[in-house]
């Protein structure tokens, strides 16, 4: 491919994401001073038999781009033409991949809540699926740990433990367990399993003696050099390096694909994390992204607990999804929690069978309204559960001593407290079939609100066609193009949610509001258990219109400025608009009678125009 | 994208079934190409390395780890017996502290950093059986074999329990009758029992009591499944349950008539030996539960594969696999190409289906599967 010293010279970009079932290609072009998505093509992924060559799927997807755009991208030798010239060729080609099961890792550390958790954070941040976390204190006996390591067959292992200069014994003990298990790589037996050691530097020699004969051992800087600091970047970089070198190189056709791309192929979730982090940093906001799939739900977040530095976290809820894992959502959430979102009665036996039938036939779609309402109720619970997991993982470092003053006497936060702060969260982005393909955008907005229960003022958006992975890897090559396309073409801005936090002993008025909409000023009161929708759309570029607002919460409620304090702000619009949510936080339906619950659900759904004909069910 | 339809489950009277029978680790293959095998013939065996048991000798004896080599009575690779002395330290010339092996096997490693000694237990034998009645058609050296047979073949949608075999016995008068406990008796011992639209929890329990090997039935209630297993199946990966028999569900959860074609095929083979496996995996690399009825007479491979490739056409027999018409069977009568708006307001490609009773309905193409065979 052509090389560009100046990223500004890049005018045409092709990016693909090789998923486990579909390969998606996008074409981005620079016109009139801005980068925009021009076309999108897709084709089945061809990693598995009978094709066993990922590039076939890539060529098919790019072929669709050619048909749609009229641009010739591939030469006679089926290679990309580069650089671009008129209607021919592309300047850059990049790709991400989660085909063939993605990147599967095992991590190990000494203390579960300290070095092992840091190692887990490094692996998840690099886009891996963490199969298991082994730690000295994980309550398993050594022989059980060895059995587990032996059976896992990961793509690689990340081994950590100890602070630099600390005791060596424990981390070497873990290395001995790994050595005894003699783990084998998942793909092929022709190479040694890669193990990254990112623990106490003083133990390197001992770890090397224990492991170097059996595995492909790499040493990087300690990911927890001192207790108070994490240093995850070197481990993450090595994971990406090994992903290219070992995992990708073993998958069919990837050697060829790697020779085509202008930037290293990145694991899909790693790339999604990168774009969310880039956007959050660029606008200095706090953001949460969620990708709810058929089998798993990924949650990404950037929060700024110290007010400036963005802390990125990613979690994968391996068994929370809308098809393969739908039955597990049902089992974990329990029937009453799912049914609390459904405004009609369904027979339990019948419901259970329906859920299991979706599990065994995952590609089916809801035909009737009743099925759609039920499916979206399950999605709300899957989102809620995945976010609960995320909150417990995205924490300040555990095991760190905190200095406290007398001022902290009444408000002591524990070590390991979550950094997820719903009040300071600026933006919530959803993607995945159930959100992106909901028949009405209002449904996606309500699923995000009910699943995450945002507090204060939060913007809502969905990824229109799931191109966050491609844009993530694009940030490595042309960050401006990535952020422009993300804002204008990738995101569908839904609007914002205004949800006062707090509860009142005698529920009544929650908030007074005055919003200057382009169509005129609206003002009024928002009552307890009330939801309101005010349309405020998009401008001609697809960006949200803004409206000035004065919001006066009652004294038990907070909108971010403290209980009872007025907030003067700008509210963002979108295809749904401004949603005022008076359902209190924490949200609690249990005080309502069954009839009240059903009536309230129907009121919310009607006010937000969620479904048509819900009253008839 | 190509055709939007779910390939159906295979139900056929004549096909060729080949199964790879592979060891988890390299070992010995016990048969050769051309050998006739029965389901319980051992085709390959190997020894799995024993489990590892660590013992911190330095801690036990109260010595620094770096002194461990001096007190060890066994070296790496030495055989050990359970209870055998492996380390000894003498203090003040008379007090002796001993450390004993906790398993039979060998010494795997001795660490002077941690003071830990790893003991490797005795290897355990693993055997792979033929599962099918047929012929060995390929030997994969040191790994296993391929067993092939001509057979009638029924794929289920969901199952529990592993590989088994037994004689087919039809227990319900038709494909719609519920297999209840009053239809189960001692005569079903060692049989693969075929039921109609549903098997009740009581019938399943009784079938296990009388020693039936397997049950093939149209539907099963999830609530009963949960009660039966004692836990909820969250992800459809099954086959390792040890419940005393193998269950293969052909249509889905709930009471659903077994497809007439499936029922008739099984009835036709009543009294014959069938190999049954409940293992199910609904993810990449799909595994479906199955019933294989090996045939003694060699037959031509079924030539209906052309239908599988061509996708849905007018007249294709289909099964609806989602509410509101879940489980109903019919034939495709129209395949309109424009997207249509469903009651749920989703836009999808649809088809028109005429059910067995003559009713017609519009159904998303994603919500039907072809009945193949």
């Amino acid at each position: 491919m052509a090389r560009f010293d100046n990223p500004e010279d890049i005018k045409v970009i092709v990016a693909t994401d090789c998923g486990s079932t579909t390969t998606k290609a996008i074409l981005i072009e620079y016109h009139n001073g801005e980068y925009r998505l021009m076309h999108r093509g897709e084709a089945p992924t061809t990693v598995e038999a009978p094709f066993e060559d990922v590039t076939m799927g890539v060529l098919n997807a790019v072929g669709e781009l050619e048909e749609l755009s009229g641009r010739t991208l591939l030469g006679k030798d089926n290679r990309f033409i580069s650089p671009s010239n008129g209607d021919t060729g592309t300047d850059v080609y990049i790709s991400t991949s989660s085909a063939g099961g993605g990147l599967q890792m095992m991590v190990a550390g000494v203390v579960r809540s300290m070095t092992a958790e840091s190692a887990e954070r490094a692996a998840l941040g690099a886009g891996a699926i963490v199969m298991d976390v082994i730690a000295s204190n994980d309550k398993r006996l050594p022989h059980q740990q060895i059995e587990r390591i032996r059976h896992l067959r990961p793509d690689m292992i990340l081994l950590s433990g100890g602070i630099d200069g600390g005791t060596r014994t424990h981390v070497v003990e873990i290395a001995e367990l790994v050595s005894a298990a003699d783990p084998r790589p998942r793909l092929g037996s022709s190479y040694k399993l890669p193990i990254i050691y990112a623990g106490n530097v003083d133990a390197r020699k001992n770890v090397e003696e224990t492991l170097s004969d059996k595995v492909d051992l790499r040493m990087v800087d300690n990911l927890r050099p001192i207790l108070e600091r994490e240093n995850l970047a070197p481990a993450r970089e090595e994971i990406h390096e090994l992903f290219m070198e070992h995992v990708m190189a073993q998958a069919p056709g990837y050697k060829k694909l790697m020779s085509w791309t202008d930037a290293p192929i990145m694991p899909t979730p790693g790339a999604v994390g990168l774009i969310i982090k880039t956007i959050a940093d660029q606008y200095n906001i706090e953001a949460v992204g969620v990708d709810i799939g058929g089998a798993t739900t990924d949650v990404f977040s950037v929060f700024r607990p110290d007010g400036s530095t963005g802390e990125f976290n990613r979690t994968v809820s391996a068994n929370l999804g809308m098809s393969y894992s739908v039955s597990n959502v049902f089992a974990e959430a329990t029937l009453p929690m799912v049914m609390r979102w459904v405004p009609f009665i369904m027979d339990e036996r019948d419901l259970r069978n329906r859920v299991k039938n979706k599990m065994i036939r995952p590609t089916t779609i809801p035909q009737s309204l009743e099925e759609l309402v039920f499916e979206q109720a399950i999605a709300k619970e899957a989102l809620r559960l995945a976010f609960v997991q995320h909150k417990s993982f995205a924490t300040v470092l555990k095991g760190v001593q905190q200095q406290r003053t007398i001022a902290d006497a009444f408000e002591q936060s524990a070590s390991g407290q979550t950094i997820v702060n719903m009040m300071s969260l600026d933006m919530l982005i959803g993607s995945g079939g159930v959100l992106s393909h909901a028949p009405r955008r209002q449904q996606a907005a309500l699923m995000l609100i009910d699943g995450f229960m945002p507090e204060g003022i939060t913007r809502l958006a969905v990824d229109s066609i799931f191109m966050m992975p491609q844009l993530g890897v694009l940030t490595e090559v042309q960050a401006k193009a990535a952020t422009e396309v993300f804002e204008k073409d990738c995101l569908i801005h839904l609007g914002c949610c205004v949800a006062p936090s707090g509860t009142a002993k005698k529920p009544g008025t929650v908030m007074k509001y005055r919003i200057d909409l382009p169509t005129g000023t609206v003002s009024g009161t928002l009552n307890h258990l009330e939801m309101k929708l005010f349309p405020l759309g998009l401008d001609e570029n697809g960006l949200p219109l803004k409206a000035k607002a004065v919001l006066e919460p009652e004294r038990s409620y907070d909108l971010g400025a403290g209980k009872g304090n007025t907030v003067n702000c700008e509210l963002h619009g979108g295809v749904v608009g401004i949603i005022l949510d008076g359902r209190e936080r924490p949200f609690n339906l249990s005080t309502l009678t069954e009839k009240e619950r059903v009536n309230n659900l129907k009121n919310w759904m009607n006010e937000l125009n969620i479904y048509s004909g819900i009253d008839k069910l | 994208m190509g055709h939007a339809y779910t390939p159906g489950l295979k139900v056929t009277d004549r096909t060729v079934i080949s199964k790879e029978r592979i060891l988890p680790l390299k070992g010995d293959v016990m048969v050769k190409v051309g050998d006739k095998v029965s389901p319980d013939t051992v085709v390959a065996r190997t020894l799995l390395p024993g489990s590892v048991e660590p013992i911190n000798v330095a801690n036990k004896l109260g010595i620094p780890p770096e002194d461990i080599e001096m007190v060890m009575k066994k070296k790496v690779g030495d055989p050990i017996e359970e209870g055998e002395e492996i380390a000894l330290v003498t203090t003040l010339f008379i007090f002796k502290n001993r450390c004993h092996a906790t398993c039979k096997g060998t010494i795997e490693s001795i660490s002077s950093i941690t003071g830990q000694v790893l003991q490797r237990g005795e290897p355990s034998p693993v055997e792979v059986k033929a599962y099918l009645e047929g012929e060995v058609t390929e030997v994969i050296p040191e790994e296993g074999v391929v067993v092939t047979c001509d057979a009638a073949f029924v794929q289920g949608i969901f199952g529990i329990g592993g590989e088994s075999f037994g004689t087919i016995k039809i227990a319900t008068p038709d494909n719609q009758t519920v297999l209840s406990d009053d239809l189960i008796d001692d005569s079903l011992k060692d049989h693969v029992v075929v039921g109609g639209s549903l098997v009740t929890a009581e019938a399943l329990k009784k079938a296990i009591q009388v020693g039936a090997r397997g049950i093939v039935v149209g539907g099963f209630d999830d609530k009963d499944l949960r009660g039966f297993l004692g836990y909820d199946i969250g992800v459809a990966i099954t086959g390792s349950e040890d419940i005393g028999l193998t269950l293969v569900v052909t249509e889905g959860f709930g009471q659903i008539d077994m497809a007439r074609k499936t029922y008739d095929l099984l009835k036709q083979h009543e009294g014959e030996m069938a190999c049954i496996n409940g293992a199910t995996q609904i993810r990449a690399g799909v595994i479906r539960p199955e019933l294989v009825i090996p045939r003694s007479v060699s037959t031509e491979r079924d030539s209906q594969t052309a239908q599988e490739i061509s996708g849905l056409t007018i007249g294709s027999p289909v099964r609806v696999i989602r509410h509101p018409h879940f489980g109903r069977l019919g034939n495709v009568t129209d395949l309109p190409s424009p997207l249509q708006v469903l009651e749920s307001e989703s836009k999808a490609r649809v088809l028109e289906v005429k059910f067995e009773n003559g009713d017609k309905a519009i159904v998303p193409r994603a919500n039907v599967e072809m009945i193949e065979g």
Side-chain angles (χ1 to χ4, degrees):
Chain A
M1 291 296 238
R3 293 279 159 222
F4 292 89
D5 295 330
N6 182 5
E8 295 292 317
D9 295 337
I10 298 173
K11 304 292 182 208
V12 183
I13 299 159
V14 174
T16 54
D17 172 42
C18 308
S20 47
T21 50
T22 318
T23 297
K24 287 140 278 193
I26 56 171
L27 174 68
I28 294 168
E29 289 181 9
Y30 186 77
H31 288 296
N32 305 325
E34 59 176 5
Y35 288 95
R36 294 301 294 256
L37 172 80
M38 304 310 288
H39 295 282
R40 177 179 185 271
E42 68 176 37
T45 296
T46 49
V47 166
E48 290 180 13
F51 311 104
E52 294 187 339
D53 181 356
V54 73
T55 58
M56 288 174 66
V58 169
L59 293 175
N60 291 339
V62 172
E64 204 169 299
L65 279 187
E66 287 185 317
E67 272 179 40
L68 291 168
S69 65
R71 171 178 284 279
T72 308
L73 294 165
L74 301 166
K76 281 185 183 150
D77 56 351
N78 262 347
R79 296 288 297 264
F80 284 96
I81 300 166
S82 184
S84 67
N85 182 9
D87 283 345
T88 309
T90 177
D91 295 324
V92 164
Y93 169 63
I94 46 180
S95 189
T96 59
S97 173
S98 59
L103 167 61
Q104 301 184 10
M105 287 183 69
M106 196 201 88
V107 302
V110 172
V111 180
R112 178 66 186 87
S113 61
M114 292 158 79
T115 45
E117 195 170 287
S118 295
E120 190 180 6
R121 242 192 292 277
L124 285 166
I129 295 160
V130 174
M131 305 165 88
D132 202 351
V133 182
I134 304 281
S136 302
N137 65 337
D138 65 12
K139 295 186 179 157
R140 284 177 285 195
L141 294 170
H143 72 269
Q144 292 170 324
Q145 292 173 323
I146 292 169
E147 279 301 297
R148 181 77 181 133
I149 301 168
R150 187 199 273 176
H151 280 116
L152 278 183
R153 300 187 73 125
D155 290 321
M156 65 182 83
I157 295 177
L158 174 61
L159 175 61
S160 67
I163 56 169
D164 285 346
T167 173
R168 289 177 295 163
T169 319
H170 299 300
V171 68
V172 176
E173 222 165 67
I174 295 275
E176 283 171 2
L177 294 184
V178 173
S179 168
D182 197 9
R184 303 291 161 91
R186 180 169 63 105
L187 301 168
S189 48
S190 56
Y191 68 103
K192 287 180 177 177
L193 178 77
I195 294 189
I196 302 165
Y197 176 69
N200 181 359
V201 288
D202 294 354
R204 280 184 177 181
K205 190 164 167 287
N206 309 116
V207 170
E208 195 171 344
E209 282 166 8
T210 313
L211 285 171
S212 61
D213 287 350
K214 293 187 173 172
V215 302
D216 176 8
L217 187 64
R218 311 289 178 100
M219 302 281 184
V220 299
D221 290 350
N222 192 351
L223 50 75
R224 198 81 183 255
I226 54 171
L227 217 46
E228 291 77 15
R229 189 163 66 84
E230 264 181 353
N231 177 29
L232 305 181
R236 278 184 185 158
E237 276 163 27
E238 192 64 30
I239 292 170
H240 280 159
E241 190 93 350
L242 283 169
F243 177 69
M244 290 287 287
E245 216 175 287
H246 279 281
V247 185
M248 288 285 90
Q250 298 297 322
Y254 274 87
K255 271 187 186 156
K256 204 194 310 179
L257 187 66
M258 278 152 67
S259 73
W260 292 357
T261 59
D262 291 298
I265 299 171
M266 205 178 268
T268 303
V272 175
L274 202 57
I275 184 74
I276 288 180
K277 184 154 180 11
T278 306
I279 293 295
D281 286 345
Q282 186 172 334
Y283 297 107
N284 193 28
I285 58 172
E286 294 188 341
V288 167
V290 62
D291 175 23
I292 177 165
T296 62
T297 298
D298 278 39
V299 181
F300 308 83
S301 73
V302 178
F303 281 94
R304 303 175 193 281
D306 64 357
S308 60
T309 323
E311 298 272 351
F312 171 71
N313 275 287
R314 168 185 170 237
T315 48
V316 184
S317 299
N319 285 323
L320 296 176
M322 289 307 297
S323 56
Y324 301 106
S325 318
V326 68
S327 172
N328 200 57
V329 176
F330 206 70
E332 275 197 33
T334 72
L335 179 79
M337 290 298 276
V338 175
M339 294 311 290
R340 69 187 170 138
W341 301 116
V342 179
F344 46 84
I345 292 162
M346 294 174 91
D347 172 57
E348 183 185 342
R349 187 172 280 266
D350 180 40
L351 271 180
R352 289 190 161 279
N353 287 335
R354 286 192 197 197
V355 170
K356 282 288 189 299
N357 282 322
K358 169 79 180 173
M359 174 184 79
I360 57 177
R361 283 161 168 132
T363 54
T364 59
I365 57 174
Q367 181 175 3
S368 64
L369 180 61
E370 179 194 74
E371 290 258 302
L372 182 76
V373 174
F374 181 55
E375 190 156 309
Q376 293 187 344
I378 296 177
K380 290 173 186 179
E381 285 304 299
L383 293 172
R384 182 182 66 82
L385 290 170
F387 198 46
V388 167
Q389 283 186 16
H390 187 80
K391 279 194 253 190
S392 66
F393 183 76
T395 60
V396 294
L397 292 182
K398 291 171 189 157
V400 178
Q401 281 197 337
Q402 291 176 316
Q403 279 198 337
R404 292 195 169 111
T405 65
I406 191 72
D408 299 324
F410 298 104
E411 202 179 319
Q412 288 199 356
S413 56
S415 158
Q417 195 193 25
T418 185
I419 59 170
V420 172
N421 180 349
M422 295 312 284
M423 186 60 86
S424 60
L425 174 67
D426 297 294
M427 194 176 214
L428 187 50
I429 306 163
S431 77
V434 71
L435 290 170
S436 298
H437 298 149
R440 294 185 185 189
R441 296 291 182 198
Q442 289 90 330
Q443 293 163 2
L446 191 61
M447 277 186 270
L448 287 173
I449 294 171
D450 289 349
F452 287 87
M453 287 291 155
E455 298 171 15
I457 300 160
T458 314
R459 290 174 62 187
L460 307 172
V462 289
D463 177 2
S464 57
I465 50 168
F466 199 54
M467 58 171 148
M468 283 200 279
Q470 293 98 319
L471 298 181
V473 71
L474 182 57
T475 58
E476 302 270 39
V477 183
Q478 209 334 350
K480 181 171 178 275
T483 51
E484 276 185 18
V485 174
F486 183 80
E487 254 306 274
K488 292 172 188 163
D489 298 313
C490 171
L491 286 192
I492 292 180
H493 300 274
L494 299 176
C496 69
C497 172
V498 179
S501 170
T503 52
K505 279 185 187 157
K506 282 189 179 172
T509 302
V510 172
M511 176 180 79
K512 293 192 184 75
Y513 60 85
R514 201 184 76 236
I515 308 168
D516 297 330
L517 295 170
T519 50
T521 299
V522 290
S523 60
T525 55
L526 178 72
N527 294 319
H528 175 60
L529 287 177
E530 194 176 23
M531 291 186 93
K532 288 188 176 181
L533 173 69
F534 296 105
L536 177 66
L538 303 170
D539 66 16
E540 63 278 8
N541 281 321
L543 295 174
L545 292 171
K546 292 173 191 168
K548 286 205 166 109
V550 181
L551 307 168
E552 299 172 51
E554 291 297 311
R555 62 180 184 172
S556 302
Y557 300 98
D558 182 8
L559 271 173
K563 280 187 179 175
N565 290 339
T566 301
V567 173
N568 287 289
C569 60
E570 248 184 358
L571 298 177
H572 288 73
V575 291
V576 176
I578 299 167
I579 297 168
L580 305 186
D581 182 354
R583 299 180 300 174
E584 300 195 331
R585 302 288 190 272
F587 176 72
N588 185 5
L589 278 179
S590 63
T591 54
L592 303 181
T593 63
E594 182 61 14
K595 196 177 167 193
E596 286 170 339
R597 183 188 66 84
V598 169
N599 283 342
N600 274 304
L601 279 178
K602 286 186 175 171
N603 287 344
W604 302 333
M605 288 169 177
N606 286 330
E607 172 62 29
L608 270 56
N609 197 15
I610 303 292
Y611 307 109
S612 72
I614 193 75
D615 293 320
K616 292 178 201 148
L617 289 175
Chain B
M1 298 288 286
H3 296 281
Y5 79 100
T6 311
L9 305 168
K10 194 156 188 153
V11 176
T12 178
D13 192 30
R14 289 157 188 270
T15 190
V16 178
I17 299 288
S18 285
K19 294 276 174 193
E20 273 194 353
R21 312 297 295 163
I22 302 292
L23 289 164
L25 285 176
K26 286 193 173 179
D28 300 320
V29 175
M30 316 301 293
V31 290
K32 57 186 187 303
V33 172
D35 281 2
K36 303 278 184 225
V37 289
S38 56
D40 52 0
T41 307
V42 174
V43 293
R45 64 165 56 114
T46 189
L47 292 173
L48 277 183
S51 57
V52 174
E53 287 203 20
I55 177 168
N56 200 310
V57 173
N59 277 358
K60 278 207 159 200
L61 300 182
I63 57 162
E66 53 270 27
D67 292 350
I68 192 168
E69 296 282 359
M70 290 191 287
V71 302
M72 285 299 295
K73 295 180 76 179
K74 299 280 181 184
K75 295 192 295 293
V76 172
D78 282 357
I80 47 169
E81 293 291 330
E82 187 175 350
E84 189 182 353
E85 190 175 286
I86 57 168
L88 173 73
V89 63
T90 309
T91 49
L92 300 174
F93 304 106
I94 45 170
F95 297 112
K96 291 184 174 170
N97 259 343
R98 294 180 167 85
C99 187
H100 299 101
T102 55
C103 68
K104 184 176 170 19
T106 52
I107 297 285
E108 172 102 352
S109 72
I110 300 167
S111 170
S112 55
I113 304 293
T114 61
Q116 188 153 256
V117 171
L118 298 180
Q119 312 159 98
R120 174 78 66 179
E122 288 277 271
S124 52
V126 175
E127 290 180 342
V128 172
K129 292 183 176 171
Y131 170 51
L132 297 180
E133 186 165 280
E135 189 179 314
V136 177
T137 49
E138 189 186 342
V139 168
I140 303 153
E142 298 180 20
E143 290 184 35
V145 298
V146 177
V147 177
T148 304
C149 68
D150 298 304
F153 182 61
V154 173
Q155 251 180 348
I157 183 75
F158 179 80
I160 46 175
E163 295 171 353
S164 186
F165 63 96
T167 310
I168 295 176
K169 175 95 183 204
I170 307 291
T172 55
D174 54 48
N175 63 330
Q176 297 162 6
T177 305
V178 172
L179 180 57
S180 50
D181 55 341
D182 55 307
L183 295 170
I184 308 281
D185 59 35
D186 289 339
S187 70
L188 298 178
K189 186 176 189 303
D190 294 334
H191 282 77
V192 171
V193 182
V194 178
S197 56
L198 180 85
V199 58
T200 64
E202 293 72 30
L204 197 59
K205 278 179 202 145
K206 199 167 169 194
I208 294 168
Q209 274 169 17
V210 302
R213 297 274 181 93
I215 288 183
V216 185
V217 71
F220 190 46
D221 250 328
D222 176 52
K223 212 169 177 186
D224 292 341
L225 177 67
R226 189 184 179 194
F228 197 71
L229 292 174
Y231 59 90
D232 219 334
I233 287 188
V235 183
I237 298 174
T238 66
S240 57
E241 302 78 17
D242 188 11
I243 56 165
L245 57 62
T246 297
L247 173 70
V248 172
V249 176
T250 59
E251 317 298 314
F253 287 91
Q255 182 174 345
I256 318 153
D257 298 348
M258 182 185 284
R260 177 159 293 284
K261 183 179 175 185
T262 311
Y263 182 82
D264 290 347
L265 178 76
L266 294 171
K267 193 165 187 183
Q268 187 190 326
H269 289 279
E270 189 170 14
E272 293 177 31
M273 197 276 288
C275 308
I276 184 170
N277 188 0
T280 309
Q281 181 179 315
I282 305 176
R283 287 291 281 272
V286 172
I287 300 169
R288 295 284 186 196
E290 63 185 16
L291 192 80
V292 181
I293 309 162
R295 300 168 69 100
S296 49
V297 184
S298 180
T299 52
E300 291 284 307
R301 183 187 279 264
D302 195 357
S303 61
Q304 295 219 359
T305 43
Q307 188 197 16
E308 290 169 35
I309 295 160
S310 67
L312 283 173
T313 52
I314 306 285
S316 294
V318 291
R319 174 194 283 117
V320 182
I321 54 175
R322 184 138 185 181
H323 278 265
H325 304 290
F326 181 78
R328 295 184 73 179
L329 304 169
N331 291 82
V332 177
T333 48
D334 193 14
L335 287 163
S337 42
L339 294 174
Q340 287 199 15
V341 179
L342 310 175
E343 183 200 315
S344 62
E345 296 183 349
S346 301
K347 281 186 191 157
R349 294 183 76 190
V350 298
L351 55 77
E352 186 188 66
V353 59
K354 186 176 179 185
F355 295 120
E356 286 171 335
N357 67 356
D359 291 352
K360 282 186 174 182
I362 299 288
V363 180
R365 293 191 195 185
N367 290 2
V368 301
E369 65 186 14
M370 289 183 62
I371 298 173
E372 293 178 6

